[in-house]
Amino acid sequence: MDLSDLPPGTLAQVSSYLPSPSRALFAVALNHHRDSSSAIVGNHQWDVLDFGEIEKDLAAKISDDHIRGVLCSIDAVNNLKKLRLTNCINITGVGLDPLRESTIIQQIDLSLVGDHESPMLDPEPQISCAEVILILDSIIQRGEDCSLKHLVFPKVWRNERNTESDFHAFLSRYNELLCSRADVCLKCSCNLPGGGHNMLQMNGRYQYGTQNFTCYDCMNQYCGDCHIDESAYYIEGFCSKCERIYCADCKTVKYCHCCDNDICVDCIDFKQCSQCDERACLECARECHNACGADNIWCNGCVELGNGGLRWCDKCSESYCRDCCNSDVYAVEFCDYCQDSLCGQCRVNAKGWNRCERCEQLTVPVLMEDREKMQTQINELQTQINELENQRREQSNEINELKREVKDLTRGSGELAEV
């Protein structure tokens, strides 16, 4: 029996449990049975299509033919408002052709990556700027009828700014469209972009080709001057990790004073330096290897200044606070003879480093501690062996007791038989 032989109502019920992309792909697979295909895509709101809802490996196998089939089956030109091609790394973009001249589409994400993922892909994706721009041009050329609010381009297109390229020319046309709409800030109602700015980043290196003033999630627009309070704006900074902009209602973006970057807390968490009280992203923060408390966190700036007495091993780079260095034989010790800072374990293992006499002395307490730990482990294992031996004896006694009972029962049944 073939799937297509099932009643359309049954197929529609089964497909209702699938993520939207899988449901649409299912309909494409049964496209030769029009009733079945229509039943699968019917009674579903197709305003959002995100291929990040399916397995990453499956999305990577999707071709332009699949994309074209999906967009046709859901009548995307008249229904689809948001499209995210998450993990569709093997398409060229020609499959987006069914979106030509759409007056419904509001957001297209061509970055090919998911939420809070770096847009840098290796190897570089095959998505064709020349092919996709033709489709995007057909959308923005609808003028006042065009609903497009937000575009996210592949990083590979944005890597180098070339004012002679077709991509830069399209950015200019799209920027002109956005500026002509006279959108206003949702908070203060000032005109956007205002102040001689563009709605798109036409310059720069990292932000080139990204969109200003517009939140990636909700697509609400805010100017860059509206504050929530003294330390926060309604439109947060450009995240240096996922290279997107969010409003304060959708995501929290914090500033790291060490690397001088704005970063989504969903991309990288932050820690507060116990020395200067400034916030630093995890890439710029160090903790004591022993995790001895929240009071022992250093930002890279304080580490470089030598604030707080943090020491780190020259070989494994593990860090230890001053208190642990004074009390833990495995923490970092500085050898004033050979000028090496090594943790206890690295110093013991550093046979090829031609350890000096002072280093040899510093290894003694580490080796003694290792010996004590090993002896403790041996004692624990011996205790476990003794317990297992006692259990074995008890089980053996129970078995012997059961054997005697069986023997007595057997003797008793024989006597009864004689009677």
Side-chain angles (χ1 to χ4, degrees), residues 139-156:
I139 295 173
I140 67 172
Q141 285 170 1
R142 298 303 300 265
E144 294 182 357
D145 293 331
C146 175
S147 300
L148 192 61
K149 295 180 180 180
H150 195 251
L151 280 175
V152 183
F153 301 104
K155 180 67 173 178
V156 66

Side-chain angles (χ1 to χ4, degrees), residues 210-242:
T210 60
Q211 195 161 326
N212 297 322
F213 312 116
T214 307
C215 174
Y216 176 84
D217 275 358
C218 65
M219 292 187 289
N220 287 336
Q221 294 180 320
Y222 298 92
C223 69
D225 296 323
C226 284
H227 290 256
I228 297 176
D229 52 42
E230 293 182 357
S231 62
Y233 292 86
Y234 272 95
I235 195 74
E236 300 280 11
F238 176 83
C239 176
S240 62
K241 298 301 179 183
C242 64

Side-chain angles (χ1 to χ4, degrees), residues 59-340:
K61 297 176 181 178
I62 288 177
S63 67
D64 285 285
D65 288 340
H66 292 130
I67 296 293
R68 182 183 291 107
V70 165
L71 295 179
C72 287
S73 68
I74 66 173
D75 191 19
V77 71
N78 293 312
N79 291 313
L80 193 62
K81 294 181 180 180
K82 290 186 178 183
L83 174 63
R84 295 186 63 185
L85 297 171
T86 310
N87 299 321
C88 297
I89 55 176
N90 286 311
I91 64 170
T92 64
V94 295
L96 297 174
D97 192 68
L99 286 176
R100 281 182 180 272
E101 300 184 3
S102 171
T103 58
I104 299 296
I105 193 76
Q106 296 178 3
Q107 184 182 48
I108 303 176
D109 184 347
L110 303 167
S111 67
L112 310 182
V113 295
D115 291 331
H116 306 293
E117 294 181 353
S118 170
M120 296 289 293
L121 293 173
D122 186 21
E124 291 183 346
Q126 306 172 26
I127 190 165
S128 168
C129 183
E131 296 288 353
V132 175
I133 282 179
L134 292 174
I135 299 167
L136 296 179
D137 263 329
S138 74
I139 295 173
I140 67 172
Q141 285 170 1
R142 298 303 300 265
E144 294 182 357
D145 293 331
C146 175
S147 300
L148 192 61
K149 295 180 180 180
H150 195 251
L151 280 175
V152 183
F153 301 104
K155 180 67 173 178
V156 66
W157 297 2
R158 301 191 292 108
N159 274 337
E160 295 184 10
R161 179 178 180 271
N162 180 0
T163 57
E164 303 299 321
S165 68
D166 292 339
F167 177 58
H168 191 83
F170 173 78
L171 289 180
S172 298
R173 294 191 294 273
Y174 180 46
N175 181 65
E176 183 178 349
L177 170 70
L178 295 175
C179 292
S180 68
R181 289 176 174 170
D183 291 321
V184 297
C185 171
L186 195 61
K187 176 64 177 175
C188 70
S189 299
C190 73
N191 291 328
L192 294 174
H197 297 291
N198 289 312
M199 291 298 290
L200 289 176
Q201 283 284 358
M202 304 298 293
N203 298 299
R205 180 179 178 185
Y206 298 107
Q207 299 186 36
Y208 173 64
T210 60
Q211 195 161 326
N212 297 322
F213 312 116
T214 307
C215 174
Y216 176 84
D217 275 358
C218 65
M219 292 187 289
N220 287 336
Q221 294 180 320
Y222 298 92
C223 69
D225 296 323
C226 284
H227 290 256
I228 297 176
D229 52 42
E230 293 182 357
S231 62
Y233 292 86
Y234 272 95
I235 195 74
E236 300 280 11
F238 176 83
C239 176
S240 62
K241 298 301 179 183
C242 64
E243 301 191 4
R244 291 170 179 165
I245 293 177
Y246 297 95
C247 72
D249 291 332
C250 291
K251 302 292 178 185
T252 300
V253 179
K254 293 183 179 180
Y255 171 73
C256 176
H257 78 289
C258 289
C259 59
D260 195 30
N261 284 319
D262 291 308
I263 306 172
C264 302
V265 295
D266 292 313
C267 285
I268 295 181
D269 201 1
F270 276 69
K271 295 284 188 179
Q272 186 170 8
C273 177
S274 57
Q275 311 305 312
C276 67
D277 292 331
E278 293 285 353
R279 294 177 306 191
C281 69
L282 284 185
E283 292 182 355
C284 296
R286 287 176 178 261
E287 284 187 81
C288 177
H289 177 71
N290 290 340
C292 53
D295 292 336
N296 287 325
I297 296 173
W298 289 260
C299 67
N300 282 347
C302 288
V303 170
E304 292 173 2
L305 292 173
N307 294 343
L310 186 72
R311 299 177 184 174
W312 60 91
C313 177
D314 292 338
K315 188 169 179 64
C316 69
S317 299
E318 291 290 357
S319 304
Y320 293 85
C321 68
R322 178 184 295 161
D323 292 340
C324 287
C325 288
N326 292 333
S327 60
D328 185 356
V329 297
Y330 292 100
V332 173
E333 285 276 4
F334 176 72
C335 177
D336 50 11
Y337 184 79
C338 62
Q339 305 294 304
D340 284 333

